[in-house]
Every structure is written in C-alpha cells, then in structure tokens.
Amino acid sequence: MTGTLAQQSSAVDPAVYREVMGHYPTGVAVVTGFDGDQPVGMVVGTFSAVSLDPPLVAFMPTERSRTYARLANSPTYCINVLAHDQLDLCRRMAVPRDDKFDGVDWTLSADGAPMLTDAVAHIHCMPQAAVPAGDHLIVLCDVRGMEVSRPVTPLLFFQGGYGGFSPRGMAAKGDADLIAAVRLADPARPHIERLAQQLECEAAVLVGLNEDELTTAMSSYGGCASMRERLGDRIPLMPPLGEAYIAGQSPEVVEHWLAKASSQEPEVLQRYRQRLDVVAARGAALAMIAPGGEAAYRELHEAMQEYSSGELTPARERAVRAVVARMSRFFATVDLTDEELYDVGSVVVPVHNPEGDISMVVRLTQLPRGVSGRTVKGWISRLKQAAGSIENELRGNGGAEQLHDYRAWYPSDFPM
Ligand SMILES: Cc1cc2nc3c(=O)[nH]c(=O)nc-3n(C[C@H](O)[C@H](O)[C@H](O)COP(=O)(O)O)c2cc1C
C-alpha cells in the first residue's frame, strides 16, 4: 500500500464518489490564520482528529484552494468548530473572497490566530506537514491548546445540506402538540386553582407529550408558592421522575422508562419497580425533601430548565440524567405515620381517561413544611378527589372532544 496515496487511476465515477461520500455526515469547521496582517479562513468538512500522543489533527484543502494558498503563509491556525446557529458564518467563510472577515466577530488567540466568536470549540495548532493526496493536501497540525468554548450542538453537513444534532427524545415538540396538551388540561383549571389556594402550594397538570416527556400544561400558585416552571416546560420521563404517570401504564411503557435509568444494576431497577408498585397501590407518588434537599431541588430545577431549552448536547444530557438520578434518594418509600412530621417535596396523582389509560397527572409542589403524616394523607386524598372530578369531566362532552384532539397527535407507534 505504500506510495499509493493518489497514484492509482480512478476506478470510480466522481459523481458516484460524491454521492456515496454525501451519505457520511461531517461537522463543519473553519480553519483560520493570518496572511501577513490579513485574517483568512476557510470552511472544511475534512477536519479530523489524527493522534492523541502526540496530539495531532488534520484537514484537507483542495490543491486549488486560493484561501489555503494564503493560509499556508500562517505560522499558526485556529480550528473553529461551528455551532448549529452559525450557518450564516459558515456560508460567509465558504465563498472564494478576500473580504470574508468583514463584519465577523473574532478575537486574537494567545498563539496569534483569529478565534471566531461563539464557535463550539477552538483548537490551536501549528502546521507540521502538508502531504499531497490526489487533488487535495493532507495538512497535519500539532495541537498546542484546545478548549470547548460553548457546549451547544454543532453544525452538521449531510447530503449537501446543513442540519443540527437531535437525538431521539430531545427533539422539541411543535406548538400544535402543546396546544393539544393545554386543551386536554382545560377541564382541570378550577380544581387546580382551588388546590393551590386551599393547600397554599403550587398545583399543576402535566400532560404526556410522547413516551419520553411530560409537559407543564397548567399551573396555579397559592400561599408563598412562586412561579418556577413555565407553561410548555418539558419534564423527562426517566427514573425516578414520572412515577405517577408510569405506574399505571403497560409493561412495555414501564420497561421503556426503566431502560432510561442511569444505572441498569438489577438492584437499582428492582427498587424502581418496587416504588412503582407502592405508587400504584397508594394511587399517588410522594417525594420527600431530605436534609440538604433544598440545594438538590434547586439543582434539579436548573437541570430541568436546561432540558427544556432543547439544545442539549449528549454530554449535557448525560449530566442532566445524573442530576435526576441523584434525586432518587428523595423518592424512598415512606410509610406515613399520623403524628410524625414530614417535609414533602411533591405529591402526584394520575388522572385516568374514560378507557382507563393515563395521559396526565396532577401535582402539588412548594407545599408547607414540617406537617404531620395526617395532613399529608389529607393532601393525597384532596388531590385524588380533584383527579376524580377531572376524570368525570373527561367523560363529559367538552373533555371527550379535547381527549380526541390530544389522541390525534399523540405518537401512535408507541403502545400507550
Ligand atoms: C460544508 C463545507 C465543507 C467544505 N470542506 C472543504 C474541505 O474539506 N476542503 C476544501 O478545500 N474546501 C472545502 N470547502 C470549500 C471551501 O470552504 C471554500 O469553498 C473555499 O475556501 C473558498 O474557495 P477558495 O479556497 O478557493 O478561496 C467546504 C465548503 C463547505 C460549505
């Protein structure tokens, strides 16, 4: 194979080469440097990691590239990994012009190369060799420093078009779906308002959006409760979150939920299953606030806000999952004793559709602290009563229509 880099005659039609390679997605990076005192840059889809020890990267300019001819004069480069929202910048840097940097935000790196503002990552390097390879060059570079500057999803190039990265379960739902969810919650309004006022807490309705998420479809505040979630915020269905919604679902749905637990150790899964049994028997899910719980709830709240933003990279999603998993200690099973005092984080009760399945839950949070077990039992039965009234309304005409609309968009390829 030695010396065959580009010498063989082509056995493949260039159109076929392009077509086949177009099925392999790439990231989009801009290689920047200086030609004298002029900043220069070019878009490359051929940026690649090469070696860890020593740290080397490479990109492959065409031998006809005018911009590379200028970059070849630069002692240092910055490789800027573009973010999903930098398509305009990408287009600007891909044109064969000398004024590409006009109006572009950049700063000077410590190594003396232009760093494009808001790029996902910056890789600071020095060219080491430019190896001819057919009609391109392989430019090998020593990495001198590197950092993730903005941990958002990158811009991707695929089959001649641009896109972003959107793993299953993180895709944001459209407005139409949210409207159907809000309409479904509509009959709950008077009950939710009454609960918030009488129990001096936050009362909310969460509706299932798909097999992976609930959304806040309505909330009301009483006592000192303050607004923490916005309408349309998404809550991931992953253990221990969503127990009240999951406990009454089919075995497939339960397994799908368990598969998202951050630990798949049999004992951990067994604990989650036992919890679901307790929730099903009690007809309500109860989470307590353990000592130090305030900070943990704040952390969970921040993680949920980040999740709702819909821009999570897989690394950030793993971090959010880790925060959710740490909440498990608040979901330990508690046998309420009438006289004992409790700090309750949340009480959640499912609302059954006329056919017996579940598409929403009602939830109390920001509840008064240090209350007796008797009081907590009272809250649970008040919440169950409200859920019962909402169930009655779903059977009635208005509710039935909203349920019909909701089912019209609910993804039907999932057994719910
Ligand atoms: C998504 C994308 C990826 C590209 N990848 C490369 C590449 O790997 N190598 C290359 O030489 N040009 C690549 N280009 C083309 C150059 O960015 C650009 O057209 C060129 O810098 C402008 O022409 P010039 O270099 O002759 O001035 C790419 C363009 C786009 C839009």
Side-chain angles (χ1 to χ4, degrees), residues 124 146 244 287 313 362:
H124 311 284
M146 61 203 314
T313 61
V362 282

Side-chain angles (χ1 to χ4, degrees), residues 26-28 41-47 60-62 64-68 90 93-97 100 136 157 162:
T26 68
V28 181
M42 71 184 284
V43 173
V44 293
T46 52
F47 169 60
M60 295 162 218
T62 147
R64 287 173 285 110
S65 167
R66 282 183 54 240
T67 308
Y68 176 68
C90 167
M93 288 289 163
V95 290
R97 282 167 54 161
K100 291 190 212 183
H136 277 62
F157 189 70
Y162 296 94

